[in-house]
């Protein structure tokens, strides 16, 4: 378990009666966020793309602990599949209160070598996927309105961005462009729907140890180099992000609208300037 029931209890956040959809939740940050939301009492739809088994295993962990969860396969870049996964969520739990648009991938290449397919694949999942899911969520939140006693908001959307929405990243222009896009998607949407009490925010993780960066994090030399970029001196853990997502999903952050919360150990502080410049 990533963020255990005790740790969630200590945060004193309750999401009982609320329903959350977390995309890309079969592993990494998505799985940790799904587990934390479930531990706080939310019913969780664990979306996955291709890894049904770990998604099912996560669902079992949640239900074994007394929570409610289902697994739902869908490619977030496909309009029809997104509609289907939202319908599944409603069928299972009757409503939706929280969307964590988390699915994301990297297809790294030097700029001149980057194929159109590598570009499109990343934009399709990381940016179009977040658009399609957020649109479906807004439509559902509008149908529901504010449900007194459940949450002060009519719905909460959390976009999973990255420090690379602000830090340029050579060799990863597709990824950085997608996350830069997420920033203005999130803020423009937040501005558009705030009056309806729909809260839209983002989380920008730095280097969190997951499969997406295991090649770097698990290699002692590359890890050493990576740590030079992190003033706080450690690689992030999934629960560092899960705690932030839990807070953003709850009424504890009710006045937080259109903000990106950086969870990065200070990666955005230009650490190379400590003894330089
Ligand atoms: C990327 C990781 C990387 C981190 C910091 C994330 O958005 O997915 O691969 O380690 O940013 O550079």
């Amino acid at each position: 378990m990533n963020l255990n029931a005790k740790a969630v209890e200590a945060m004193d956040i309750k999401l009982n009666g609320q329903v959350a959809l977390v995309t890309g939740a079969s592993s990494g940050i998505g799985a940790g966020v799904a587990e934390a939301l479930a531990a706080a009492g939310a019913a969780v739809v664990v979306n996955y793309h291709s890894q049904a088994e770990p998604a099912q295993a996560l669902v079992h962990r949640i239900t074994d602990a007394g929570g409610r969860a289902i697994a739902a396969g869908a490619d977030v870049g496909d309009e029809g599949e997104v509609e289907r996964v939202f319908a599944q969520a409603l069928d299972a739990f009757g409503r939706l209160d929280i969307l964590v648009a988390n699915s994301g991938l990297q297809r790294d290449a030097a700029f001149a070598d980057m194929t159109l397919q590598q570009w499109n694949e990343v934009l399709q999942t990381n940016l179009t996927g977040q658009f399609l899911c957020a649109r479906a969520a807004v439509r559902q939140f509008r149908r529901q309105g504010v449900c007194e006693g459940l949450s002060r908001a009519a719905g909460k959307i959390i976009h999973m961005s990255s420090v690379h929405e602000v830090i340029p990243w050579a060799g990863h222009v597709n990824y950085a462009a997608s996350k830069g896009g997420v920033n203005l998607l999130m803020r423009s949407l937040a501005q558009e729907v705030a009056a309806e009490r729909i809260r839209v925010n983002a989380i920008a993780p730095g280097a969190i140890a997951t499969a997406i960066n295991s090649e770097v994090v698990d290699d002692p030399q590359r890890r050493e180099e990576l740590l030079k970029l992190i003033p706080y001196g450690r690689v992030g853990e999934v629960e560092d992000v899960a705690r932030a997502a839990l807070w953003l999903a709850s009424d504890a952050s009710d006045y937080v609208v259109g903000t990106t919360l950086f969870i990065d150990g200070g990666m955005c502080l230009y650490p190379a300037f400590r003894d330089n410049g």
Side-chain angles (χ1 to χ4, degrees), residues 12-63:
D12 200 23
I13 286 175
K14 303 266 184 300
L15 298 173
N16 297 82
Q18 297 193 47
V19 179
L21 166 61
V22 185
T23 68
S26 60
S27 70
I29 288 173
V33 170
E35 201 155 12
L37 296 175
V44 179
V45 179
V46 175
N47 160 255
Y48 63 91
H49 178 224
S50 40
Q51 295 179 282
E53 247 173 58
Q56 281 298 351
L58 173 56
V59 164
H60 286 138
R61 275 207 304 284
I62 291 171
T63 53

